């Protein structure tokens, strides 16, 4: 256990810096117009502080960079694959590993193996790519997260929990044979980076075991979830994050991982399973979609950096500083009276755009609008997580209207300083001061899949 300390200050110092570009308001207005008011379509050089995502944006350690030099770029049987397998077994406990180029590569393979047309996938809230692959395989996602997760004002500490009654109802109504697995994420990204408790996970395990249903773990931010369990769950405070991570994984049957988050690499992911049959089929699929089963679309050096990143990611000091920085920003914004999802998430602060811009109807895309306004104000790039991300209803073709209409300020790991956090908070507070004068957007181009990435917008005139 770490001793009690005053500050979340970083357990590292900076050895190399990347200069940032400073822009003028006029340049930013022009850049935003060219990007169709979609922060995903901005050029990174036009951005000062990039909070678009914590995915692939972390700073690697000197050890990880050194690991790149140890890449064994053999087509088959790379030494680095075996290092990665060792790390996955040691820190997560899963038996079999199939590397993939990133998380959605693993989701594709796993969905193709486990889901039949007509199947039902209950989960603790959807994630965009996960749900897309479940649907492509013919499945239907059903939300079984606790109601508190849909209420940005609820202070419930474990908003990632499964509502067991909802899960039981899905099993009773659909039949266990139509449910290949329960889809469980640690933490829940779309709910605002909210954790699931160990007690709840154990209860989900007991219920699914009774019906012979698997749990597939989206373990993208499992160390952050484990840290919140350590901090908040009764009886867990004296245990290390590494121990809790291992426990979480051992309550599930397999996993998909986007190593671009928790595991501190710029690219990479994997699928893991404890079932030999699933592993065998995954090795058949991976050669079609990613590459041979010992590299899965990655260079040997990428797998080495990932193996080292996994070990670093479960260190108490690392995770305490990582989440500490996010909470620091959350506190600053609360002090300024800005409406946020409470409690603050572990990978970012989520602004409640419905409460920030109450005069805008959801069809005027309040969160998309707010992300655009923050960019113009300061060059800080954030991301919409609301009606645009939710996409359209598969049956009716109408927009989905999610309860949560959010702007995500996602903090890359080990990249920005406390002064950067202050700049961000000041900028959001300035936009909040002039919120009454903000008008919404209309969508002028809508792509077929995952529309938030490439959709274009124009301002609605006041
Ligand atoms: N699951 C979760 C919970 C995620 O947050 C992501 C990616 C994925 C799966 C897919 O992984 O990007 O490696 O293919 N989230 C990124 C984000 C894109 O910005 O939140 P991927």
């Amino acid at each position: 256990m770490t001793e009690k300390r005053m500050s979340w200050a970083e357990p590292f110092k900076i050895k190399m810096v990347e200069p940032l570009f400073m822009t003028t308001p006029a340049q930013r207005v022009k850049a935003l117009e060219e990007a169709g008011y979609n922060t995903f379509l901005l050029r990174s050089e036009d951005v000062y502080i990039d909070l678009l995502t914590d995915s692939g944006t972390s700073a690697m350690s000197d050890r990880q960079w050194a690991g790149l030099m140890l890449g064994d770029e053999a087509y088959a049987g790379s030494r680095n694959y075996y290092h990665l397998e060792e790390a996955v077994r040691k820190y997560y406990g899963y038996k079999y590993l199939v590397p993939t180029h990133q998380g959605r590569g693993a989701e594709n393979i796993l969905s193709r193996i486990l889901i039949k047309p007509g199947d039902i996938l209950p989960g603790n809230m959807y994630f965009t790519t996960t749900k897309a692959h479940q649907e492509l395989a013919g499945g239907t996602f059903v939300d079984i997260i606790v109601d508190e997760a849909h209420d940005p004002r609820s202070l419930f500490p474990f908003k990632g929990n499964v509502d067991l009654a909802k899960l039981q109802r899905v099993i009773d109504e659909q039949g266990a044979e139509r449910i290949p697995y329960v889809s469980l994420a640690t933490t829940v990204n779309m709910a605002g980076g909210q954790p699931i408790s160990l007690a709840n996970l154990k209860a989900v395990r007991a219920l699914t075991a009774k019906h012979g249903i698997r749990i597939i773990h989206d373990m993208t931010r499992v160390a952050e979830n484990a840290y919140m369990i350590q901090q908040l769950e009764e009886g867990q405070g004296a245990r290390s994050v590494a121990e809790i991570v291992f426990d979480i994984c051992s309550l599930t049957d397999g996993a998909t991982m986007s190593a671009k988050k928790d595991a501190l690499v710029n690219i990479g992911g994997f699928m893991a399973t404890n079932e030999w049959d699933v592993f065998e089929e995954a090795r058949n699929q991976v050669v079609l979609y990613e590459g041979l089963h010992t590299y899965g679309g990655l260079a040997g050096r990428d797998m080495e950096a990932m193996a080292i990143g996994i070990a670093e990611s479960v260190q108490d000091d690392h995770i305490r500083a990582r989440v500490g920085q996010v909470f620091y920003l959350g506190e600053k914004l609360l002090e300024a009276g800005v409406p946020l999802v409470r409690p603050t998430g572990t990978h970012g602060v989520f602004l409640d755009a419905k409460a920030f811009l109450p005069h805008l109807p959801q069809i005027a895309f309040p969160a998309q609008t707010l992300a655009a306004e923050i960019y113009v104000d300061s060059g800080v790039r954030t991301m919409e997580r609301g009606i645009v991300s939710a996409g359209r209803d598969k049956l009716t073709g109408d927009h989905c209207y999610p309860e949560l209409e959010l702007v995500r300020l996602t903090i890359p790991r080990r990249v920005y300083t406390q002064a950067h956090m202050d700049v961000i908070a000041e900028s959001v507070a300035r936009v909040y001061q002039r919120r009454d004068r903000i008008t919404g957007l209309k969508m002028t181009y809508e792509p077929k899949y995952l529309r938030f990435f490439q959709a274009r917008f124009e301002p609605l005139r006041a």
Side-chain angles (χ1 to χ4, degrees):
M1 272 307 298
T2 48
E3 57 187 313
K4 280 232 176 307
R5 271 183 274 132
M6 297 293 286
S7 168
W8 52 268
E10 294 83 353
F12 57 81
K13 57 184 176 177
I14 296 166
K15 174 137 61 179
M16 188 187 283
V17 297
E18 176 182 339
L20 295 174
F21 297 89
M22 311 302 269
T23 48
T24 63
Q27 286 170 330
R28 294 196 290 274
V29 167
K30 183 163 172 284
L32 189 69
E33 269 172 24
E34 282 173 12
Y37 292 80
N38 185 347
T39 51
F40 274 103
L41 299 177
L42 288 167
R43 288 166 185 246
S44 148
E45 293 199 340
D46 293 329
V47 171
Y48 173 40
I49 301 175
D50 203 347
L51 309 183
L52 189 69
T53 177
D54 62 330
S55 182
T57 52
S58 299
M60 292 207 295
S61 67
D62 52 0
R63 283 145 184 87
Q64 286 178 290
W65 280 102
L68 293 186
M69 298 306 293
L70 302 176
D72 170 4
E73 307 305 343
Y75 188 89
S78 160
R79 163 186 347 119
N80 314 114
Y81 166 80
Y82 295 102
H83 290 171
L84 181 59
E85 185 185 52
E86 209 177 295
V88 167
R89 286 184 176 158
K90 176 170 172 191
Y91 294 103
Y92 303 142
Y94 294 117
K95 277 193 203 151
Y96 308 117
L97 163 76
V98 177
T100 57
H101 77 284
Q102 60 185 80
R104 71 199 70 180
E107 290 166 353
N108 174 39
I109 290 173
L110 190 96
S111 301
R112 297 180 71 90
I113 296 170
L114 295 181
I115 301 172
K116 296 187 305 298
D119 279 353
I120 303 293
L121 289 308
N124 57 346
M125 205 175 265
Y126 80 99
F127 183 72
T128 52
T129 59
T130 320
K131 181 168 133 202
H133 282 296
Q134 290 168 345
E135 288 179 349
L136 283 172
T140 301
F141 175 84
V142 180
D143 191 9
I144 51 160
I145 203 164
V146 291
D147 287 341
E148 286 89 341
H150 296 284
D151 174 5
R153 277 167 301 275
S154 161
L155 287 175
F156 186 59
F158 290 106
K159 284 176 155 182
N161 278 1
V162 167
D163 182 328
L164 294 160
K166 286 185 193 170
L167 175 56
Q168 184 68 59
R169 208 171 319 129
V170 177
I171 297 172
D172 292 344
E173 284 172 14
Q174 307 288 346
E177 62 291 344
R178 286 181 66 198
I179 304 174
Y181 60 89
V182 169
S183 202
L184 265 194
T186 57
T187 56
V188 181
N189 192 352
M190 302 301 278
Q194 304 293 330
I196 176 172
S197 73
L198 203 51
N200 184 255
L201 179 52
K202 284 180 183 159
V204 176
R205 173 78 290 178
L207 179 55
T208 51
K210 223 166 59 185
H211 296 275
I213 300 171
R214 292 179 192 86
I215 299 177
I216 295 295
H217 178 200
D218 179 344
M219 59 181 301
T220 295
R221 298 180 182 84
V222 65
E224 292 176 10
N225 197 122
Y227 175 71
M228 295 316 294
I229 289 174
Q230 183 197 56
Q231 294 300 304
L232 300 176
E233 193 164 344
E234 225 175 292
Q236 299 296 324
R239 305 182 65 217
S240 70
V241 166
E243 285 173 305
I244 299 171
V245 164
F246 196 90
D247 269 13
I248 293 173
C249 295
S250 68
L251 289 163
T252 68
D253 301 290
T256 55
M257 172 62 149
S258 171
K260 300 170 71 172
K261 285 80 164 175
D262 239 20
L264 297 163
V265 286
N266 304 122
I267 193 70
F270 60 78
M271 196 205 99
T273 174
N274 293 330
E275 295 173 77
W276 174 260
D277 295 353
V278 174
F279 176 52
E280 212 168 20
E281 189 49 31
R283 285 194 300 180
N284 282 321
Q285 298 276 337
V286 78
V287 291
L288 292 174
Y289 294 102
E290 303 279 320
L292 194 70
H293 65 279
T294 56
Y295 77 86
L298 296 170
R301 56 179 173 267
D302 298 329
M303 292 189 284
E304 191 64 26
M306 200 196 302
I308 299 167
I310 287 171
E312 291 179 359
S313 75
V314 301
Q315 301 305 314
D316 283 78
D317 281 339
H318 157 72
I319 201 75
R320 180 172 170 279
R322 188 282 185 282
V323 177
Q325 186 179 46
V326 180
F327 286 5
Y328 172 84
L329 176 61
E331 282 303 311
K332 283 249 152 191
L333 288 167
L334 282 174
E335 279 165 24
V338 174
L340 308 180
V341 175
R342 309 282 306 278
T344 299
T346 58
H347 68 299
V349 177
F350 290 66
L351 307 181
D352 179 353
K354 278 187 186 171
F356 201 115
L357 300 172
H359 55 290
L360 294 190
Q362 200 164 9
I363 194 61
F365 307 108
Q368 190 79 29
T369 304
L370 182 52
E373 293 287 338
I374 293 168
Y375 172 71
V376 170
D377 183 78
S378 57
V380 170
R381 168 155 71 170
T382 61
M383 179 205 287
E384 193 261 11
R385 277 302 185 217
I387 183 170
V388 185
S389 293
R392 287 183 183 271
D393 186 286
K394 217 169 61 164
L395 297 176
T396 67
D398 192 11
H399 298 285
C400 297
Y401 289 84
E403 282 293 312
L404 297 179
E405 178 73 22
L406 309 177
V407 171
R408 189 178 73 170
L409 280 56
T410 342
I411 311 300
R413 295 164 186 78
R414 310 193 290 204
V415 171
Y416 292 115
T417 66
Q418 184 164 333
H420 286 123
M421 297 302 121
D422 293 343
V423 169
I424 298 159
E426 286 158 18
S427 173
V428 174
R430 261 195 312 273
V431 175
Y432 191 56
Q433 293 304 319
R434 60 173 175 80
R435 62 191 180 279
D436 294 348
R437 300 198 297 278
I438 295 174
T439 54
L441 294 169
K442 64 170 188 251
M443 200 187 288
T444 55
Y445 166 69
E446 180 175 357
K448 215 156 68 175
Y449 300 112
L450 302 174
R451 63 182 185 178
F452 56 95
F453 283 129
Q454 288 150 347
R456 299 184 73 84
F457 302 82
E458 272 173 17
L460 287 169
R461 298 296 159 206

